Amino acid sequence: MSLGIFDSGVGGLTVFREIARLLPNQDLIYLGDTARLPYGSKSPETILRYTLECAEFLLSKKIKLLVVACHTASSLALEYLQKELPIPVFGMLRPGVELIRESALQKVALLGTEATLSSKAYQKILSQECPQIEIFKVACPLFVPLVEEGMHLHPLSIQTAEYYLAPLREKSIQAALLACTHYPLLTDAIQQSIGPSVCLLDPSERCAQNVKLALQNEHLLEPASKSPQYQFYTTDYPDRFARLAKQFFGMPLSLDINKLELNKNLNYS
Ligand code: DGL
């Protein structure tokens, strides 16, 4: 059985890559809801609805575990999915909080979408688990479109990072959590603007480790002899998705990507 992974776009591939690395025998199905991104500027109700539709599609593929590779969807819909779905559901908040907690830092920036930050989902857990930490929230709404346009190395990305992050330089922060799965693709621009001494925390590897552990505990790991199959779906522009997947992750340009329309009577085949 496969694992299902989804995000609004290519950002979740940063998590896909780590899962594929740590679970090299596992079949994976990835869905990028490219027709409806960005999620980060949508209302909580809309994000919940989109997330449920993505989950519903992946469930129709008989997955054994779901990874919500999107901090925005995790912030707004993870609790609901974990309660309602008949399979284990993993999100991005827990791995992010674990990295912060283990780092024993005092001043941490939380970089995410507007919806993630205004949901206060991170702030709620952090105030319970790491009450000593001072959090500096910065919403960076232009980062997602820059990545989706393949402009992560363009000077505009550096200018945008400078615009959002330069004010942090006088706050003496020690680390910044990349609380959006698109942001690791802008690591260079972010590091340059936030300052070389600030440690950038990317929770995607920890997410993959947590998934591996859960599969191990449930005896659901695939045998080492199995070669994995990967399937990709997008809700719009499969060609652009393939181009970005090649540019960011070296995946073959001829990547076979299926285009689907979500919620068309929820009758997926
Ligand atoms: N990659 C997503 C996240 O982790 C959201 C990007 C968006 O669609 O705004 O939050």
Side-chain angles (χ1 to χ4, degrees):
M1 274 168 120
S2 301
L3 296 193
I5 303 172
F6 84 88
D7 178 40
S8 59
V10 290
L13 289 176
T14 54
V15 181
F16 177 99
R17 175 177 52 183
E18 294 303 321
I19 292 179
R21 198 169 60 77
L22 280 188
L23 296 166
N25 312 104
Q26 179 59 59
D27 293 345
L28 302 174
I29 305 180
Y30 185 91
L31 167 60
D33 192 6
T34 45
R36 306 191 291 191
L37 70 83
Y39 278 17
S41 51
K42 304 288 190 305
S43 69
E45 299 74 35
T46 301
I47 294 164
L48 178 61
R49 178 161 59 85
Y50 288 176
T51 303
L52 294 182
E53 288 167 7
C54 290
E56 185 101 20
F57 167 73
L58 289 166
L59 276 181
S60 76
K61 298 286 168 196
K62 310 275 179 270
I63 53 172
K64 61 182 173 190
L65 183 149
L66 175 66
V67 180
V68 181
C70 171
H71 294 255
T72 309
S74 299
S75 299
L76 276 311
L78 189 70
E79 273 182 29
Y80 184 88
L81 291 178
Q82 286 175 330
K83 230 176 343 171
E84 298 299 325
L85 264 46
I87 55 169
V89 185
F90 283 71
M92 301 308 298
L93 297 189
R94 181 51 42 202
V97 169
E98 283 172 12
L99 291 187
I100 292 182
R101 201 182 51 213
E102 290 161 18
S103 65
L105 300 164
Q106 304 296 319
K107 290 182 165 205
V108 177
L110 197 54
L111 313 182
T113 67
E114 277 162 341
T116 296
L117 298 180
S118 50
S119 77
K120 298 206 168 36
Y122 263 111
Q123 295 93 311
K124 212 167 97 191
I125 312 178
L126 286 170
S127 68
Q128 286 161 0
E129 297 192 19
C130 333
Q132 79 289 356
I133 285 181
E134 194 178 350
I135 300 286
F136 298 81
K137 312 176 284 170
V138 185
C140 311
L142 291 173
F143 280 176
V144 170
L146 283 167
V147 168
E148 292 286 337
E149 290 298 326
M151 292 170 65
H152 61 307
L153 298 176
H154 192 279
L156 266 180
S157 288
I158 295 170
Q159 281 171 27
T160 308
E162 191 63 20
Y163 171 72
Y164 289 134
L165 305 176
L168 283 176
R169 286 204 288 265
E170 60 189 43
K171 307 283 185 200
S172 320
I173 60 159
Q174 296 146 310
L177 182 73
L178 305 179
C180 170
T181 51
H182 283 73
Y183 296 1
L185 294 160
L186 290 165
T187 295
D188 291 348
I190 293 172
Q191 190 79 69
Q192 198 171 316
S193 302
I194 209 163
S197 63
V198 176
C199 170
L200 301 186
L201 305 172
D202 172 6
S204 49
E205 185 181 359
R206 175 60 61 94
C207 174
Q209 286 165 347
N210 293 351
V211 167
K212 181 174 179 182
L213 201 62
L215 292 177
Q216 245 160 6
N217 289 341
E218 297 295 323
H219 307 287
L220 287 173
L221 285 181
E222 300 295 336
S225 54
K226 184 183 173 316
S227 30
Q229 287 190 351
Y230 299 145
Q231 289 176 54
F232 295 90
Y233 292 86
T234 64
T235 50
D236 212 348
Y237 286 124
D239 294 349
R240 181 194 290 174
F241 185 93
R243 225 177 22 255
L244 292 174
K246 157 103 177 118
Q247 190 182 344
F248 294 147
F249 306 106
M251 291 180 184
L253 201 49
S254 59
L255 203 63
D256 186 19
I257 300 175
N258 306 283
K259 179 162 181 272
L260 84 133
E261 217 167 310
L262 283 175
N263 197 18
K264 226 186 168 193
N265 305 322
L266 291 179
N267 188 13
Y268 305 112
S269 51

